């Protein structure tokens, strides 16, 4: 029989999949004899069973919950609903992967009209008892019954107004009793039935609400963004409440064993005296720095620091802790590996290796490859920054540099971004509803909240520039203005945020590229030494190539020759070539184009200094290069001495019903071999010239979009006829490769026929995904929206490689290609080449390299290293052997 | 070492792949001691080697040819170029499959200035010798040197004019000597060198020319039309010449052992006295019927009839023979299984079984499934025909009935057909250049030529209506007119051809559908008994269903529900549904549509009488249903009380970059489940109503275009929610299936996940091919043209299933589906379902059925039977078991 509920003492940290992260760590801490309030965890499997039964908790699971509740009551000597010995619990979600703030929580569960009186007597604190009860009513109504929180918050506001006070803390016991009674009445009025008094019913309803919250839209969105499978489900933790709001010697707080923003090895945290934990996270009041506890409660402080270090050593990673001090007594409510900025992750990893706490492999595994992205974002130009005058200062919650126009809501953010604007989201404090707006904003600025507020945690998770707790900021959301020291800023005004310092500027400041140095460089060197796969970059010009090499690329995996033609002075010849009516005219235009391409290639080869460059022959449909508007067409016709109507006819004749499935890729070269001949000549002449300068060159000519080996055989002959002749004439000893993209399903399915004719395969997983799913990226929008909603797709397969379907094509074809040609070189140049899970998948298939955009190169390098650590392979990329002299 | 050349006595009929059809049969006849002039065959492998070496005959092969030539000289006691004992040979192509007239031939090879004098002396026939030499000069110049034939024909014309004669036969020896000398001079003038006098050089050049002709455009086109692989190559036959033009007791002819047009068991042929074989085939003179030989040369006639019967028995099939009578002596130059009309094939098959000559299986294998198409073409309405007056009569060369506008050239045929016209191609005689025009014409009418002329042979091969030798016809190709008994007809006038009688009418006559009866029925019954796979039809309305059942279908494999909506009175509601802005509006429109669909389905179920019907949910992109033109949009908006601009906006919003890869298929139903609900209700209510009438029903609901099992799981739930409720309410005991199309590559690759949720898979190989090749059928035109030219594609993969690539997806997925769900029902409803080679492939994968258009049902049934004969399988389609009570 499956066990669906575990007491904390029955679990441990290895049971993360079953108990969720929070549950497994509460169990682990319990067994380490740390001060954890007792409780139990309902498993993720129970959540899945709930959905499988059509959103119902089975009798079997209900029975187990009651059984564990009894054990908890026996353990504490308290009982739910017993006014003499009242048990009060929290009910919290906890998935395998941390999803902060995405799901629901109910606190103070167990209160009812009788318990509140008992609690008042027991604690000699009537104010506390009614505060807890009225909080519970509001939370239960909101989370379980889906009643708008404002219904109850307005009662608080009325009472405060009546008393002439502004802060919650200024209300006394009697006031809160009044709030409680009014809340109960309001509840009954809305629901048509009284507030539930049976604590067991309260509990079951709260558990179900947490299960349900697994599928709320923001949880779905978060999962999609973080590639968390829906099938994981969430666990539910039921735990005895402890109270940080019990009085003067009480507090609630959160802390990191090291600084999560920059990585310093110094315990770092915040607490709110006399408050519940939710108040800290919500950012309603700005909390006190943990260091101040040294003066306030020195023993508790020392005890906490000891525990934090002990846990850090135990887990071998930086910890993120939640704690409560109830009347001077310390309780730990949560520990987990702390989320951190990429900057912090790198520093922590290097420090921990130096401290001898973890191995290099372990340290590399601690860094989230995707987060490195943020380190590669540009920083402000130092000179401009020096000249600028900050208008105010907040907390450096998540580092970065961002300029943009002010917006005051997530909705406005969406609207402006759709209009092509860059925005800074300015909020009093953020809430889970803001998550999409935060995602699309350049940066986030809040007036309230600390380093661990919602805004800070979420922004760090996204690697987004964020400044919190900027108390000089007065925001009027309705009027869409913010006032700083008397100056009013309105929507659309420009702000710049330097979140490494927390300074805010009211002008645009330009940025400069990031560089890899210091600890970052150390980590990237470890990763390169560990990885068995090369990482190349997609780069179309010498500047991009240089950027890619600076970021650690080991060559170029894709140069798109067509991008070279969109520049204004070049497109004219290209259009002449397209509009040519005879082969002679076309050859004449191509003759003009060739030297331009050759110049580009020379620059690329020079920058590469002997590293390989894979250059793709012309790929997109020709009509993409032609003007669309009447005036442009007339101008073009005029400048070419052609008739406008004639040009229009050519443009029309190039229109296709499904251009994605039409005349493009190698089909262009098969129809007009002279284009491939020109491009080959440009590549080979460039290579010869650069080689003559004493620089090694390694050109690879790539044929796109083949569906049958015969296309490649035909074009390989076209290419080698030109190339061999030029090389022979030059008298230079030079090698070049000819290979193909595998981006059409049929090509993948006939790899055994194609491999003998190809020196290399480069997988174009963008097209392979579009054709394999029968879904064009340009048209997928409306489909994806519904598919996410209905749980049919969990993420966008064009962003994360679908390993089951498209990955199978990659697997079949790479295996069969290697069978007939063991030395064939395998790589990928689709956008999946810089996505960590896809990189790991391709590592497993013994790929030689992945190629991605320059800014994703460090991500791919770290992913490849992690893949080797998780799943070691023997096969060493021949790139690494050949170009970097690594030995097998 | 590979042997590249075989003497006739070294081969036999089983070596067809190596020696080609002609070569293998010449060898077989030689070994049967039939009177075959000696010779040798250069193999198809030599042809392939020629192409692999970059169009060069290797030294090894040249040596073998010389060696065999020596053996031939020893055997005959003659020698090439020896004026005393001159060897003269023919050089003919001969592929594995017959490709009549598509490749090149050189006759009379061996003549030169000295041989012609020797031959004149030897034969005592100076006229014959110079006629043969001048023919050789012209043919060699044309075929080997690519000099226009007219250069030499005009010399003949000049000489005839000078002599004041009109016929070639009226020229005497001296005249022909003059023609010969002038031809040699003209040749030297054009080529800048004298005509080659060395017969061995002549021979090698002619062999190379025949190899080259394997790749001429008309041979490529013919191969594509007949699905003959390029890799087969052609053999070359070098054979001693015999002369049907040696004098009064000489003749050349062709014959069939039975009538190739209707199948009568009576030897059937034609000959030209004192002529070479090419004259018969070319149709220059209208030949004499074979029966007349009985009077002329009774012994030769009897000898020939005996040989023909003997060969028919030897090969177990009707024979097509070429013969020459040289001075009263009979020679056989070719035998092969005779091409015949479908009508003849059926009669021959039934007769041969009755005669005990072949088994039923053997008889079924003799019929080309694709040819059955022609039997299903409509015939003229008998009453209209009776009233019409024929304008002239020709030979019934290929049966059928056709009306169309007159065109006088293949080019004009193309032009008019592109303009949507139906045409009758009228020619003096056809030549291989006309082949495309013949293909697209409704029918062919020629003034000259017999039943075995080019026009007749090719038309029969195509199953095209054709009347030849209509001698009342005077054609002026330049003026584009034809005159019949003084009446002038011009391009665009309408003709009707009844080629079962040979009568031509100058008005349109309407047609009536064909039916399956007599021998055709017998053959179809044999095929049905033999086949282990069911054949269903694609039919969208009761009339089509009835047609399909009449033609032998065992159910409906595809009903496209959208076709029901293009009718004018229905589209309005459908458009309302599309333009609905809320779910309520959409439901209202759907409510109006439901009863209409239900009525259609009731008709279909009634016609099927308990046979299964697979009904596909709405599939095409919605914008296909909306008007395109401004006026139509305005009208639509007006009739719906909507604003025109608003409707335009909706239409615009539905436009997609790649509609093939966009919002269509099940994606529509996932986004708007109410459409699937309406369609399910219509299907199930219809089924219930018809079942209440006492007629069995077997509905299968098919979900199109899935790419992941989750789509199907979601929609299966939507469907069964509606269906189960309706069935329960009706109190009727009724079963329905829910299945899916496999038409997206990813679906095929994840069949193991999908199969558990599907009762059946129906392969949509149209889409699977388009996505698998990355080539949309709408845009493929310009690509295919070049791809055929360059030999990259040999045929259109949307017409003939690509077994290697797309077939592999079908194979993988059907295998994996059966592994997880052995009882899953497998079928295909793409257009490949009626294509013989594809049907055979699917038989091999244990498919339950193929579904095709009604007119292709008999083709599919015969193909399935042939598949079972060629490659017997144990698996009996559960369709045949379930609906036809066949036992395993």
């Amino acid at each position: 029989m499956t066990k669906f509920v575990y007491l904390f003492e029955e679990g441990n940290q290895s049971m993360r999949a079953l108990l969720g992260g929070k549950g497994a760590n509460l169990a682990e801490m319990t067994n380490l004899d740390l001060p954890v309030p007792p409780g139990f965890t309902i498993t993720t499997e129970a959540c899945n069973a709930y959905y499988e039964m059509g959103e119902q908790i089975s009798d079997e699971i209900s029975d187990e919950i009651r059984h564990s509740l009894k054990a908890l009551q026996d353990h504490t000597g308290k009982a739910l609903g017993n006014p003499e010995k009242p048990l009060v619990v929290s009910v919290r979600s906890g998935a395998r992967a941390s999803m902060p703030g995405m799901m629901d929580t109910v606190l103070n569960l167990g209160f009812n009209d009788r318990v509140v009186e008992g609690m008042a007597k027991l604690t000699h604190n009537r104010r506390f008892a009614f505060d807890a009860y009225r909080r519970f009513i509001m939370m239960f109504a909101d989370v379980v019954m889906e009643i708008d929180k404002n219904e109850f918050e307005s009662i608080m506001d009325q009472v405060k107004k009546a008393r002439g006070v502004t802060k919650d803390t200024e209300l006394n016991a009697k006031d809160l009793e009044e709030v409680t009674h009014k809340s109960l009445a309001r509840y009954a009025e809305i629901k048509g039935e009284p507030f539930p008094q049976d604590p067991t019913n309260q509990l079951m309803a709260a558990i179900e609400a947490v299960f349900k919250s697994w599928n709320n839209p923001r949880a779905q969105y978060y999962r999609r963004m973080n590639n968390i499978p829906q099938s994981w489900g969430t666990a539910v933790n039921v735990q005895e409440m402890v109270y940080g709001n019990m009085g003067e010697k009480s507090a609630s707080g959160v802390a990191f064993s090291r600084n999560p923003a920059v990585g310093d090895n110094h315990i770092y945290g915040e607490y709110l005296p006399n408050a519940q934990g939710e108040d800290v996270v919500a950012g309603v009041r700005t909390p006190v720095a943990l260091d101040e506890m040294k003066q306030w409660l020195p023993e508790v402080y020392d005890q906490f620091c000891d525990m934090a270090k002990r846990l850090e050593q135990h887990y071998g990673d930086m910890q993120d802790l939640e704690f409560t001090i109830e009347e001077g007594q310390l309780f730990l409510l949560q520990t987990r590996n702390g989320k951190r900025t990429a900057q912090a992750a790198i520093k922590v990893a290097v420090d921990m290796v130096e401290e001898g706490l973890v191995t290099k492999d372990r340290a590399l595994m601690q860094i989230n490859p995707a987060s490195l992205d943020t380190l590669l974002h540009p920083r402000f130009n130092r000179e401009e920054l020096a000249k600028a005058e900050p208008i105010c200062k907040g907390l450096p919650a998540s580092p970065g540099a961002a300029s943009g126009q002010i917006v005051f809501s997530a909705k406005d953010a969406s609207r402006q971004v759709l209009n092509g604007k860059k925005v800074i989201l300015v909020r009093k404090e953020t809430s889970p509803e803001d998550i999409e707006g935060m995602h699309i904003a350049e940066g986030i600025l809040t007036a309230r909240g600390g380093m661990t507020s919602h805004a800070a945690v979420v922004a760090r998770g996204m690697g987004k520039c964020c400044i919190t707790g900027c108390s000089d900021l007065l925001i009027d959301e309705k009027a869409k203005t913010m006032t700083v020291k008397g100056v009013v800023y309105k929507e659309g005004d420009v702000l710049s945020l330097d979140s490494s310092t927390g300074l805010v500027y009211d002008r645009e400041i330009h940025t400069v590229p990031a560089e890899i140095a210091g600890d970052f460089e150390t980590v990237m060197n470890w990763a390169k030494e560990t990885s068995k796969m090369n990482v190349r970059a997609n780069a179309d010009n010498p500047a991009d190539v240089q950027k890619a090499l600076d970021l650690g690329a080991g060559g170029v995996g894709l140069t798109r020759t067509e991008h070279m033609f969109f520049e204004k002075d070049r497109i004219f010849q290209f259009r002449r070539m397209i509009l040519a009516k005879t082969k002679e005219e076309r050859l004449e235009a191509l003759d003009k184009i060739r030297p331009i391409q050759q110049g580009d290639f020379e620059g690329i080869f020079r920058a590469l200094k002997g590293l390989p460059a894979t250059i793709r022959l012309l790929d997109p449909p020709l009509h993409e290069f032609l003007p669309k508007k009447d005036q442009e067409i007339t101008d073009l016709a005029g400048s070419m001495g052609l008739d406008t109507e004639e040009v229009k006819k050519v443009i029309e004749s190039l229109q296709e019903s499904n251009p994605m499935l039409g005349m493009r890729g190698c089909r262009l070269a098969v129809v007009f071999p002279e284009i491939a001949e020109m491009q080959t000549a440009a590549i080979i002449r460039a290579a010869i010239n650069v080689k003559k300068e004493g620089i090694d060159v390694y050109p690879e000519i790539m044929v796109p979009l083949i569906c049958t080996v015969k296309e490649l055989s035909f074009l390989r002959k076209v290419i080698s006829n030109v190339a061999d002749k030029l090389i022979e004439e030059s008298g230079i000893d030079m090698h070049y490769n000819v290979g193909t993209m595998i981006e059409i399903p049929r090509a993948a399915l006939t790899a055994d026929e194609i491999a003998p004719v190809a020196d290399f395969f480069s997988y174009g997983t963008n097209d392979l995904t579009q054709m394999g799913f029968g879904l064009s990226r340009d048209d997928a929008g409306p489909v994806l929206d519904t598919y996410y909603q209905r749980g049919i797709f969990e993420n966008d397969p064009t962003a994360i490689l679908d390993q089951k379907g498209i990955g199978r094509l990659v697997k079949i074809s790479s295996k069969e290609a290697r069978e007939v040609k063991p030395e064939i070189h395998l790589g990928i140049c689709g956008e999946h080449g810089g996505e960590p899970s896809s990189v790991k998948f391709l590592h497993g298939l013994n790929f030689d390299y992945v190629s991605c955009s320059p800014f994703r190169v460090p991500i791919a390098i770290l992913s490849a290293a992690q893949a080797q650590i998780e799943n070691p392979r023997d096969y060493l990329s021949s790139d690494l052997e050949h170009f970097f002299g690594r030995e097998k």
Side-chain angles (χ1 to χ4, degrees), chain A residues 41-281:
Chain A
T41 305
I42 305 157
T43 65
T44 54
E45 286 177 2
C47 176
N48 289 335
Y50 170 78
Y51 281 104
E52 273 157 32
M53 293 225 4
E55 311 209 356
Q56 247 185 321
I57 299 178
S58 71
D59 293 347
E60 188 189 344
I61 295 172
S62 296
D63 286 351
E64 265 199 75
I65 293 170
R66 282 197 189 83
H67 188 81
S68 302
L69 177 62
K70 190 171 174 305
L72 178 61
Q73 294 184 145
D74 291 351
H75 180 89
T76 54
K78 302 176 184 172
L80 270 188
N82 182 333
E84 273 87 55
K85 294 178 274 183
L87 177 65
V88 180
V89 296
S90 62
V91 179
R92 293 174 203 257
S93 61
R96 192 189 308 191
S98 168
M99 294 170 60
M102 297 301 124
M103 290 178 291
D104 286 332
T105 291
V106 180
L107 300 181
N108 302 312
L109 187 142
F111 270 93
N112 61 17
D113 295 349
R114 292 174 60 226
V115 166
V116 70
E117 294 295 344
M119 195 60 104
K121 227 181 268 176
L122 214 71
T123 57
H124 311 291
N125 192 337
R126 194 169 181 81
R127 187 190 181 284
F128 157 75
F130 277 93
D131 190 36
Y133 190 18
R134 70 99 196 159
R135 281 173 188 256
F136 171 56
I137 295 164
M138 184 170 86
M139 214 160 191
F140 187 89
D142 169 27
V143 168
V144 182
M145 295 298 165
E146 293 172 5
I147 302 172
D148 190 343
K149 269 196 293 198
N150 283 323
E151 298 282 353
F152 302 96
E153 276 175 351
S154 63
I155 295 173
M156 275 290 275
D157 290 344
Q158 282 163 26
V159 174
K160 281 194 279 187
K161 204 172 173 191
R163 296 293 165 276
V165 300
T166 54
K167 291 186 192 158
D168 293 5
T169 45
E170 291 171 298
L171 294 177
N172 64 21
K174 224 172 142 236
D175 300 335
L176 288 170
E177 204 173 334
E178 184 186 337
V179 170
T180 303
H181 290 134
K182 284 191 165 156
S183 294
L184 286 169
R186 187 85 193 93
Y187 180 98
E189 196 180 311
I190 292 168
K191 293 298 294 180
E193 58 183 25
F195 186 80
Q197 292 291 318
D198 178 343
T200 313
N201 289 350
Q202 293 171 358
L203 179 63
M204 297 309 289
I207 291 168
E208 188 172 348
V210 175
F211 281 159
K212 265 196 217 300
S213 70
W214 174 249
N215 255 356
N216 72 37
R218 63 173 193 268
Q220 286 189 3
Y221 182 83
Y222 187 91
R223 283 203 292 277
R224 205 151 61 234
M225 240 176 55
N226 292 279
N227 200 14
I228 298 170
Q230 181 166 18
S231 64
W232 280 5
T234 183
V236 183
N237 298 290
V238 178
Q239 184 177 29
E240 188 182 4
M241 285 291 296
V242 286
Y243 292 98
N245 56 344
M246 193 79 96
E248 293 310 307
K249 281 189 145 186
S250 298
S252 289
V254 296
F256 290 84
S257 60
R258 303 185 184 220
N259 184 314
V262 294
D264 288 350
N265 185 5
H266 178 76
I267 196 161
Y268 184 91
E270 296 163 333
Y271 64 94
L272 277 176
N274 202 5
Q276 284 207 340
E278 308 312 294
D279 304 334
V280 185
V281 177

Side-chain angles (χ1 to χ4, degrees), chain A residues 527 530-535 836 839-840 843 850 859-869:
Chain A
T530 305
S531 162
K532 295 224 169 186
M533 190 158 65
N534 190 21
V535 174
V839 172
K840 291 180 182 182
H843 160 91
V850 295
I859 297 173
I861 292 174
L862 178 57
S863 301
Q866 289 187 347
Q868 177 66 13
I869 294 166

Side-chain angles (χ1 to χ4, degrees), chain A residues 542 570 593-604 606 682 686:
Chain A
R570 299 171 168 201
I593 294 172
R594 209 247 314 135
I596 305 177
Q597 286 232 313
Q598 185 177 326
D600 288 326
F601 295 138
E602 284 175 8
I604 289 173
R606 267 184 215 110

Side-chain angles (χ1 to χ4, degrees), chain A residues 12-32:
Chain A
N12 64 59
Q13 63 163 314
S14 74
M15 296 165 76
R16 186 179 190 88
L18 191 63
L19 303 180
K22 188 191 289 268
N25 287 330
L26 284 170
E28 187 76 12
M29 288 196 291
T30 300
N31 290 316
L32 287 171

Side-chain angles (χ1 to χ4, degrees), chain A residues 248 253 282 372 396 427 429 525 531 548 551 755 804 831:
Chain A
E248 293 310 307
L372 296 185
R427 302 282 285 156
E429 57 197 288
N525 284 338
S531 162
L551 293 172
K804 168 87 196 173
E831 284 182 24

